[in-house]
């Protein structure tokens, strides 16, 4: 009858830890489950593994209204013609994505009760596509680092190794998706904050091309470097999520550059034989050469072998002067204060603080981000070094594109980091 009455029946009917968008759609097609049952199953998994059991500590807030949304979907009917692209798909949002019905905290005790005036552009698009926001995930506080620890959420653990971090700053989303607390998730990436948890938690993470996805309504770190994107367990789910997330948003003018470059569907590019004839550059300079790097190197070399056996041609390459080109090109510190102050202004009169300076003066933040906060207070866009770094970023871009052209490449491959993610620091404010 499609009802899950026991955990054994549930396991026999649907493997929640392997759930995909297509799998849930198929289960709706043949009447094996209802939307309420999908949400209940994920809530049970959260209850069993986030605060209890391994205590992953991946989530900050559970959406109390998720079951009511699911019940309304069931009332409207589950026939395929009425379903939307992400119908009843549980999504985990990094807690720097604005939600008008839940706090958006950035992992900060200072913002613990901050409820924005409206959803972020991406959140609105996900909801319109039928996704149900199940929870908001922990993160490195204000996305200022890569270990996913915050004053509000504490330390998140890696589901595959509880002694290590899940990467960051989107590590709460990464741990939650790896542990099947949701089917899809969102991350933001200023330096490596989507790619890091994807690597650390065996996931698919996509930092979108600048201008494809709006960043409005996402607590910012840098107007130049910030991007957002999907975090999922499969490539297909990342493509399906990307279909929904992309689009022009007048509140983020950079999306005008991507508006004419969006295909009808990214799912059309899913091709199991897609590596046939592809040329992929293996960037040797990003591999470590010490014993501590051996494990990552072995995994990367195994991936290279699989890609070669799938028809790809993998070419070992170097980029001239890469060390110089990648040194001191971050501009987040110079943009942090005006970006954060502008976000706080968007919260209206209920904003818990009015400026980065006031946030720092309160002192209610995790000590690991103190240096980043203070650097953001000091640096300004009037500093000549800010312009120099922007110019060096252009020089790096030119060098990378020349590597593509000279070697006739379709992509460049390298390990996300040279050694395993660091052990976690079980500390709280």
């Amino acid at each position: 009858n499609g009802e899950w009455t026991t955990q054994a029946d549930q396991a026999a009917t649907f493997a929640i830890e392997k759930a995909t968008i297509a799998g849930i759609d198929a289960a709706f097609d043949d009447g094996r489950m209802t939307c309420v049952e999908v949400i209940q199953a994920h809530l049970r998994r959260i209850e069993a593994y986030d605060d209890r059991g391994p205590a992953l500590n991946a989530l900050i807030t559970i959406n109390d209204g998720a079951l009511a949304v699911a019940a309304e979907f069931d009332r409207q009917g589950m026939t395929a013609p009425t379903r939307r692209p992400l119908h009843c798909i549980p999504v985990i949002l990094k807690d720097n994505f604005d939600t008008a019905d839940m706090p958006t905290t950035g992992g900060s005790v200072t913002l613990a009760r901050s409820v924005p005036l409206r959803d972020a552009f991406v959140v609105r698009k996900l909801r319109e596509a039928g996704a149900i926001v199940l929870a908001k995930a922990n993160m490195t506080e204000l996305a200022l680092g890569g270990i996913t620890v915050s004053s509000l959420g504490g330390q998140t653990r890696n589901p595959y190794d509880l002694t290590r971090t899940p990467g960051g700053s989107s590590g709460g989303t990464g741990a939650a998706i790896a542990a099947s607390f949701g089917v899809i998730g969102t991350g933001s990436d200023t330096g490596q904050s989507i790619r890091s948890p994807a690597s650390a938690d065996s996931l698919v993470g996509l930092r979108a091309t600048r201008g494809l996805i709006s960043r409005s309504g996402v607590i910012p770190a840098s107007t130049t470097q910030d991007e957002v994107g999907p975090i999922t367990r499969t490539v297909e789910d990342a493509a399906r999520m990307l279909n929904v997330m992309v689009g022009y948003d007048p509140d983020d003018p950079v999306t005008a550059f991507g508006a004419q470059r969006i295909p009808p569907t990214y799912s059309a590019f899913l091709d199991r034989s897609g590596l046939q004839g592809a040329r992929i550059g293996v960037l040797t300079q990003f591999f470590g050469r010490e014993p501590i790097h051996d494990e990552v190197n072995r995994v990367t070399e195994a991936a290279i072998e699989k890609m070669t056996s799938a028809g790809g041609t993998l070419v070992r390459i170097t980029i001239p002067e890469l060390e110089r080109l990648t040194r001191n090109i971050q501009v987040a510190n110079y943009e942090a204060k005006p970006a954060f102050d502008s976000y706080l202004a968007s919260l209206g009169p209920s904003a818990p603080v009015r400026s980065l300076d006031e946030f720092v003066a309160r002192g209610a933040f995790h000590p690991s981000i103190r240096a980043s906060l203070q650097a953001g207070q000091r640096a300004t866009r009037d500093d000549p070094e800010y312009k120099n770094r922007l110019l060096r970023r252009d020089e790096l871009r030119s060098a990378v594109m020349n590597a593509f052209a000279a070697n006739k490449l379709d992509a460049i491959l390298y390990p996300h980091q040279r050694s395993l993610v660091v052990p976690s620091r079980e500390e709280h404010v």
Side-chain angles (χ1 to χ4, degrees), residues 256-308:
F257 291 92
Q260 303 302 317
R261 298 175 179 269
I262 298 171
T265 171
Y266 289 94
S267 302
F269 297 102
L270 296 170
D271 182 359
R272 290 187 181 276
S273 61
L275 282 175
Q276 292 287 340
R279 285 179 60 85
I280 299 169
V282 179
L283 187 57
T284 59
Q285 291 142 296
F286 278 2
F287 284 70
R289 289 170 173 77
E290 303 296 330
I292 194 175
H293 305 135
D294 287 348
E295 189 166 0
V296 169
N297 287 347
R298 281 196 300 271
V299 171
T300 308
E301 291 294 343
I304 290 170
E305 289 181 12
K306 288 183 179 180
M307 296 172 81
T308 301

Side-chain angles (χ1 to χ4, degrees), residues 161-186:
D161 182 346
L162 298 177
T163 70
R164 295 183 183 273
T165 78
S169 63
S170 308
T173 301
I177 299 304
S180 299
F181 295 166
V183 176
I184 59 177
T186 66

